[in-house]
Amino acid sequence: MLDTVRPVSRLRARAHRYARWAGLVAGLMAAQQVASLGTSNFGDDYGALIVYAITAFGLCAVGGVLLGDALTLRPQEAVRTAGLVPRRVRDHVPPRMAPLLVLQAVSLVVLLVIGAATASPDAMGRAGRAITVTCDGAPKPLGPWPGIFYGIPILASLTAGTGACFWALRRIAHRAGDDQQRRDRSWAITAAWGVLVSSQLLLVGLMIATVLTHTTCAATLGTVTALVIYPLGLLGLISLAWCLFTLVAPRAARR
């Protein structure tokens, strides 16, 4: 029997998978490009290079998933039926990982607010890049610190990514199609958002830990910071690994 499925239809049916993978590859390329071009714009400020590189990677991952969802073939059904139970977004997202990602997003915002409130100019007088601690009786700026300078691009990308992913999740939950397909798409979008959140949380936590736990000037503040930052960092690493695996193979992650 001859195969009646057109090659174009096959390619379109797998487009969402290729788009997800392309988003990750584009994110790696964008991060490398930002890191290579950033030295001319930021000089020796490696904190800014890492912030923009990770932000570019996370946004590309989100963009690849959204593009894949937009390319997904609509179900070819002659008659559409509606169930009595309303579809909700929370019924299609990962039941265990989604609350953890929300917790990380809230923690990220809280850390950025605290960072902005405690930030001060660095040794070169640039605002929002350091925190001033008293060391040997003299004030000393330590950085990089997640103040306004580093926090604005992180918050902007988090806001844009959250809005786009939530809109896509609502669109998937209320459109026609197979329930398993809706769950696969929802898991992939949640994972893409998780890549953005977890990577940025790890970055902010690394900034704070580097400044406050690797110097004797922070004293008690460094100890308290370690008790909070290290558990969040471990959670972020586990979540990031899960999100990357889910982006590549959402159905395998569900199983």
Side-chain angles (χ1 to χ4, degrees):
M1 181 180 292
L2 295 177
D3 191 357
T4 58
V5 180
R6 294 179 300 174
V8 177
S9 299
R10 286 181 181 176
L11 182 62
R12 184 75 184 277
R14 300 174 183 175
H16 63 91
R17 183 185 310 168
Y18 300 144
R20 290 198 309 268
W21 297 347
L24 293 176
V25 174
L28 291 174
M29 296 176 62
Q32 183 181 7
Q33 191 71 12
V34 169
S36 61
L37 296 179
T39 51
S40 59
N41 297 325
F42 301 106
D44 60 347
D45 192 351
Y46 296 104
L49 294 179
I50 299 175
V51 166
Y52 283 98
I54 290 182
T55 299
F57 175 75
L59 289 178
C60 286
V62 171
V65 172
L66 296 181
L67 176 61
D69 181 66
L71 295 175
T72 301
L73 288 172
R74 295 184 178 181
Q76 303 297 324
E77 298 176 349
V79 179
R80 295 181 59 183
T81 59
L84 297 178
V85 180
R87 297 174 186 164
R88 299 174 300 183
V89 172
R90 63 184 180 184
D91 295 332
H92 298 87
V93 297
R96 296 181 181 86
M97 190 56 66
L100 290 179
L101 293 177
V102 172
L103 174 63
Q104 291 180 66
V106 174
S107 301
L108 175 60
V109 173
V110 170
L111 290 178
L112 289 176
V113 171
I114 294 175
T118 57
S120 61
D122 60 5
M124 300 179 62
R126 298 174 297 187
R129 302 193 187 195
I131 183 174
T132 301
V133 298
T134 302
C135 191
D136 297 330
K140 179 181 179 181
L142 300 175
W145 183 256
I148 294 179
F149 178 79
Y150 302 110
I152 287 180
I154 293 177
L155 281 177
S157 62
L158 180 63
T159 302
T162 301
C165 289
F166 185 74
W167 171 82
L169 288 174
R170 284 182 56 87
R171 178 173 173 267
I172 291 173
H174 294 93
R175 74 182 178 193
D178 180 69
D179 187 65
Q180 183 176 356
Q181 187 185 61
R182 281 196 296 269
R183 290 182 185 276
D184 290 343
R185 302 293 187 273
S186 298
W187 277 54
I189 291 175
T190 304
W193 182 68
V195 169
L196 182 64
V197 172
S198 298
S199 60
Q200 292 181 334
L201 179 63
L202 284 172
L203 174 60
V204 172
L206 181 62
M207 284 184 174
I208 297 176
T210 301
V211 170
L212 294 184
T213 63
H214 293 169
T215 177
T216 58
C217 300
T220 306
L221 183 60
T223 304
V224 174
T225 301
L227 295 176
V228 177
I229 293 300
Y230 289 161
L232 282 177
L234 179 60
L235 178 61
L237 280 175
I238 296 173
S239 301
L240 182 59
W242 179 90
C243 290
L244 290 173
F245 176 73
T246 304
L247 264 182
V248 176
R251 188 165 298 182
R254 286 182 55 197
R255 293 175 181 173

